[in-house]
Amino acid sequence: MIPMLQQIVQMLFAHRLRSLLAITAVVWGIVSVLVLMALGEGFYQINARQFSLLMSDTQLALPEVTSKPWKGRPARREISFTEPEFRLLEKQSAIKAVSVLYQKWDASVTDITGHTLPGYIRGVDNHYIDMRKIKLAAGSRNISRHDINRHSRITVIGWQLAQQGGLSIGDKLRVNGIPFIITGITRQSEGGMSMGREDNQVLIPSSTFTDLWSDKPVQVMVTPAPGISGVVLRKNLLSFFASQKHFDPSDKRAMWLPDFSQDVKFFTTLLRGIQLFLGASGAMTLAVGALGVANIMFLSVTERTREIGVRLAIGATPTNILVQFLLEGGMLVSIGTVIGVAVSYVLILLMNQMGLPDWLGTPVISVDAVLMALSVTVVLALLASFFPARRAANLIPVTALSARA
Amino acid sequence: MPLVKLEGVTKHYESGDESVYALDDVSLIIYKGEFLSILGPSGSGKSTLMNVLGCLDKPTSGFYQLDDHDVSTLSCNQLAAIRNNKIGFIFQSFNLLEYATALENVMLPLVYAGVNIKKRRAKAAELLKRVGLEDRMSHKPNELSGGQKQRVAIARALVNDPQIILADEPTGALDSKSGAEIEALFSELHHEGRTLIVVTHDISLARRTKRIINIKDGKVVEDEILDRSSAIYRRREGD
């Protein structure tokens, strides 16, 4: 095998231009597959982050109005919970974490000089930012358990509000005239799923919120214990709320427990579909590259018919000839693949350094993409080399020898 | 014991509506150590006979025995093995690999014979030295003269110690000086006891061998022994 490999390297070097063209065709194909798939992966990841709440297992629960009478109580009763009532959920074994949410739309939000800002207030627990997968800008500090216990007057604000008010971390803003220190700002484009004007929100500790207003929480967010499915969790929550507030456990209008699983499925299918489309486009280019290799291999067999005749005359078997041409094709494709993968990594690195639009995300070459490209290449290389190799191996020595040199 | 035995060998091709007999009922015996020529004009069937003798082509009918093997029944791979270790070819146009050095060209049959690199290199170097090209081992064919190329081809033909050396118009592409050198080399090989079969249309080259088989229209028309003093023919006449 080693002498054969040496001969092949020698032959490829002897026909530099032809080899270079074949390798270029493969490099082009590999780069197309990997770069397109990397762009698809970046697009998937940025969008998956945008829809992170949908894709997480966090469950929202919002009190609404009953639609059925229950045990002597009429329908159309408005349901509401106090914070201690929601907190009882923390004792449920199916639940890992609970975060209540207060909301105030009509509070006065101003900067320290008294200019009105378009912000609204949300009173949240220390889990809230993590549960909502909200990313904070560098230097930010999350609302902590300590802040809740101490009723701290600190706030984490939306990036748009910060931009509009020219606010930075450490600055102050006023809520109904009371100063709050800004400890954090949400990161642009990565604020989690947008629910309302979140980029203008002013998050304050829930305990501080209840000091200012006597409102009830508008919703609760729940993270299930490990192994608890969304279906089981929603069923448990509904029966818990029904027993607390005395409504029919089958009355789905009393509490809104949104099920995002179908949306998640739709979004992931859509995003993966886009990725698949990009990968398939690249694979087509790779197939064209393989056709180039096949073409060049056929040309090689035709040009070297006399050489094949000489080899057969001095003792090569048809299998020797078949293996030689398979290895030649294989080597061209292997060299092309290695260069293609390297070029793809460099291109993606350059793209990331140059900076791409936010909506495209950060392209990344995944191991899966490389493995897919490699497996497609192996199959195409075998196909591209096999038919020319078989033609070479089937040549009759005397016919091959009589070919024009 | 004959080295080559052909009995009623026929090779015909269909050319349009007619059958062309390139070989027509050829019977022939060649002994080990013979130096003979197959002589005939262009289209006489001499190259077809060489192809059949060299196992490059199969006869349409007839029996061919080489060194005790019935060659007509062998598979492609078995024929390849026969070509590799029993036959050495020398072609008019040398047929060297252009991208390989003289040494690598000579080593090539040993690659297919599965000989290890060290032995391959030593044997090929020894043969190149034998044909006077020890200082041209790392030269590629385009750096060699016609005579030197043919000597590389002779070294390649000898490298597996074949039973027969088949040469097809070996001096046809050479100038007279190089041609004479190759003829001298053939004489040396004959004196070493090797079996040489030269296919040619050149009567003067044929006259330098010990036996001439004249072929015309695919038939052996004359089988003339030129040197009856040779031990081989003395033995045969005594049989």
Side-chain angles (χ1 to χ4, degrees):
Chain A
M1 190 62 92
I2 290 167
M4 195 171 265
L5 284 175
Q6 282 171 343
Q7 280 182 49
I8 288 164
V9 172
Q10 220 170 25
M11 199 289 303
L12 295 181
F13 196 70
H15 300 94
R16 287 178 208 86
L17 182 63
R18 200 165 59 195
S19 307
L20 194 69
L21 286 173
I23 289 168
T24 309
V26 177
V27 170
W28 186 255
I30 292 281
V31 169
S32 301
V33 170
L34 289 182
V35 170
L36 286 173
M37 287 195 75
L39 287 168
E41 185 63 27
F43 186 68
Y44 174 82
Q45 286 184 5
I46 187 82
N47 283 287
R49 270 203 295 274
Q50 295 285 2
F51 297 106
S52 57
L53 179 62
L54 293 187
M55 290 175 174
S56 74
D57 53 1
T58 299
Q59 178 66 52
L60 300 181
L62 289 84
E64 294 203 326
V65 177
T66 60
S67 63
K68 296 176 183 175
W70 179 250
K71 292 185 177 171
R73 289 177 167 85
R76 303 197 58 76
R77 278 185 300 128
E78 197 168 321
I79 302 295
S80 65
F81 286 84
T82 61
E83 185 176 336
E85 284 170 336
F86 271 143
R87 293 270 175 231
L88 288 173
L89 283 169
E90 287 170 345
K91 292 176 182 157
Q92 300 275 310
S93 60
I95 290 165
K96 186 180 155 198
V98 170
S99 176
V100 293
L101 176 78
Y102 294 94
Q103 198 155 273
K104 198 77 182 166
W105 291 100
D106 53 1
S108 151
V109 180
T110 61
D111 64 14
I112 207 72
T113 61
H115 285 107
T116 302
L117 296 170
Y120 67 98
I121 313 300
R122 278 181 163 176
V124 297
D125 285 355
N126 52 319
H127 298 305
Y128 180 79
I129 285 177
D130 287 341
M131 284 168 99
R132 289 293 315 274
K133 316 271 184 203
I134 293 171
K135 296 278 192 300
L136 299 179
S140 296
R141 177 172 82 72
N142 198 346
I143 294 168
S144 66
R145 186 74 240 165
H146 187 64
D147 295 323
I148 305 284
N149 293 340
R150 289 189 56 196
H151 299 232
S152 302
R153 288 178 180 178
I154 57 118
T155 177
V156 173
I157 62 170
W159 65 270
Q160 206 166 34
L161 186 72
Q163 232 172 39
Q164 284 178 356
L167 301 168
S168 335
I169 293 164
D171 289 350
K172 284 183 182 170
L173 56 70
R174 290 180 192 275
V175 175
N176 284 0
I178 301 162
F180 280 73
I181 298 173
I182 300 166
T183 61
I185 298 172
T186 62
R187 202 191 294 170
Q188 189 173 352
S189 308
E190 292 186 338
M193 189 192 71
S194 183
M195 289 185 66
R197 297 174 293 132
E198 292 208 316
D199 299 331
N200 286 333
Q201 64 190 350
V202 176
L203 300 174
I204 62 172
S206 54
S207 54
T208 315
F209 187 99
T210 53
D211 291 343
L212 297 173
W213 299 284
S214 56
D215 294 30
K216 287 183 175 177
V218 292
Q219 62 164 263
V220 65
M221 294 176 73
V222 176
T223 306
I228 302 294
S229 70
V231 177
V232 172
L233 179 69
R234 279 188 291 279
K235 204 174 159 193
N236 278 1
L237 286 173
L238 199 60
S239 64
F240 170 82
F241 294 135
S243 71
Q244 287 273 310
K245 293 290 161 183
H246 310 290
F247 62 82
D248 186 344
S250 68
D251 185 355
K252 293 190 173 172
R253 297 255 177 105
M255 291 292 294
W256 185 48
L257 298 166
D259 174 10
F260 294 130
S261 60
Q262 286 307 311
D263 303 289
V264 168
K265 207 172 164 188
F266 172 76
F267 278 123
T268 46
T269 309
L270 184 72
L271 291 172
R272 286 296 179 206
I274 291 169
Q275 211 177 2
L276 189 71
F277 172 76
L278 289 171
S281 308
M284 287 298 160
T285 316
L286 186 55
V288 173
L291 274 179
V293 175
N295 204 4
I296 282 165
M297 291 302 294
F298 270 120
L299 182 71
S300 178
V301 170
T302 310
E303 271 185 6
R304 290 162 62 202
T305 302
R306 191 166 185 135
E307 178 197 319
I308 295 164
V310 174
R311 287 178 183 274
L312 290 167
I314 62 174
T317 61
T319 313
N320 290 142
I321 301 291
L322 184 83
V323 170
Q324 183 189 339
F325 278 86
L326 278 180
L327 285 176
E328 278 186 29
M331 194 168 279
L332 286 173
V333 174
S334 305
I335 295 169
T337 306
V338 170
I339 297 173
V341 171
V343 169
S344 304
Y345 271 101
V346 171
L347 276 178
I348 293 299
L349 196 74
L350 287 175
M351 276 186 198
N352 286 330
Q353 276 182 354
M354 279 184 338
L356 293 169
D358 282 347
W359 58 268
L360 253 180
T362 307
V364 55
I365 296 176
S366 66
V367 177
D368 284 351
V370 175
L371 289 178
M372 195 213 85
L374 288 183
S375 41
V376 171
T377 312
V378 167
V379 172
L380 291 178
L382 283 175
L383 287 175
S385 314
F386 177 73
F387 293 101
R390 192 180 61 171
R391 182 195 273 189
N394 287 344
L395 284 169
I396 297 163
V398 68
T399 316
L401 275 169
S402 61
R404 281 172 57 185
Chain B
M1 175 71 89
L3 181 62
V4 169
K5 192 174 179 187
L6 296 183
E7 273 178 16
V9 167
T10 302
K11 179 77 188 176
H12 78 263
Y13 306 97
E14 298 299 326
S15 173
D17 292 338
E18 56 178 334
S19 257
V20 177
Y21 280 80
L23 291 178
D24 189 1
D25 194 22
V26 172
S27 295
L28 197 63
I29 288 176
I30 298 168
Y31 287 88
K32 189 176 182 313
E34 278 198 76
F35 181 21
L36 65 89
S37 53
I38 297 171
L39 181 71
S42 186
S44 59
K46 62 183 189 304
S47 291
T48 308
L49 181 57
M50 191 197 95
N51 291 335
V52 169
L53 287 172
C55 299
L56 294 171
D57 202 2
K58 283 188 172 183
T60 313
S61 63
F63 172 77
Y64 173 24
Q65 181 180 294
L66 171 64
D67 195 23
D68 238 7
H69 295 281
D70 180 0
V71 175
S72 24
T73 59
L74 297 182
S75 67
C76 284
N77 286 346
Q78 287 167 321
L79 286 174
I82 295 266
R83 288 194 295 269
N84 184 243
N85 55 42
K86 291 197 186 297
I87 301 167
F89 289 96
I90 299 162
F91 301 97
Q92 180 179 1
S93 53
F94 326 122
N95 281 339
L96 301 176
L97 303 189
E98 288 300 318
Y99 51 82
T101 62
L103 188 73
E104 286 160 349
N105 266 292
V106 178
M107 280 160 63
L108 201 54
L110 298 172
V111 171
Y112 294 119
V115 175
N116 72 43
I117 178 81
K118 208 175 160 184
K119 284 187 185 165
R120 277 205 309 267
R121 204 172 276 278
K123 182 81 189 199
E126 178 196 322
L127 263 303
L128 281 171
K129 198 175 169 188
R130 165 78 184 75
V131 297
L133 290 176
E134 61 268 41
D135 56 345
R136 293 283 186 276
M137 287 189 197
S138 55
H139 286 58
K140 291 192 173 169
N142 60 5
E143 298 162 334
L144 300 172
S145 69
Q148 287 171 331
K149 284 183 198 175
Q150 196 59 299
R151 279 190 276 161
V152 174
I154 292 170
R156 183 179 66 185
L158 295 173
V159 79
N160 265 345
D161 287 324
Q163 302 273 1
I164 311 173
I165 296 160
L166 281 169
D168 184 10
E169 303 283 9
T171 57
L174 302 178
D175 58 58
S176 54
K177 183 170 174 277
S178 302
E181 282 170 9
I182 297 300
E183 284 169 20
L185 196 52
F186 279 2
S187 292
E188 281 177 35
L189 294 172
H190 169 56
H191 287 119
E192 285 172 9
R194 295 181 190 271
T195 310
L196 279 109
I197 302 173
V198 178
V199 175
T200 185
H201 67 280
D202 179 358
I203 184 75
S204 62
L205 173 62
R207 284 274 157 212
R208 288 185 184 83
T209 66
K210 307 296 177 193
R211 177 184 171 194
I212 298 175
I213 295 168
N214 214 322
I215 191 161
K216 194 177 173 191
D217 297 331
K219 289 177 189 288
V220 174
V221 291
E222 192 183 5
D223 188 349
E224 182 190 4
I225 292 165
L226 301 177
D227 181 6
R228 290 187 182 279
S229 63
S230 167
I232 303 159
Y233 303 117
R234 281 206 310 274
R235 254 199 327 268
R236 273 174 65 185
E237 280 168 2
D239 286 345

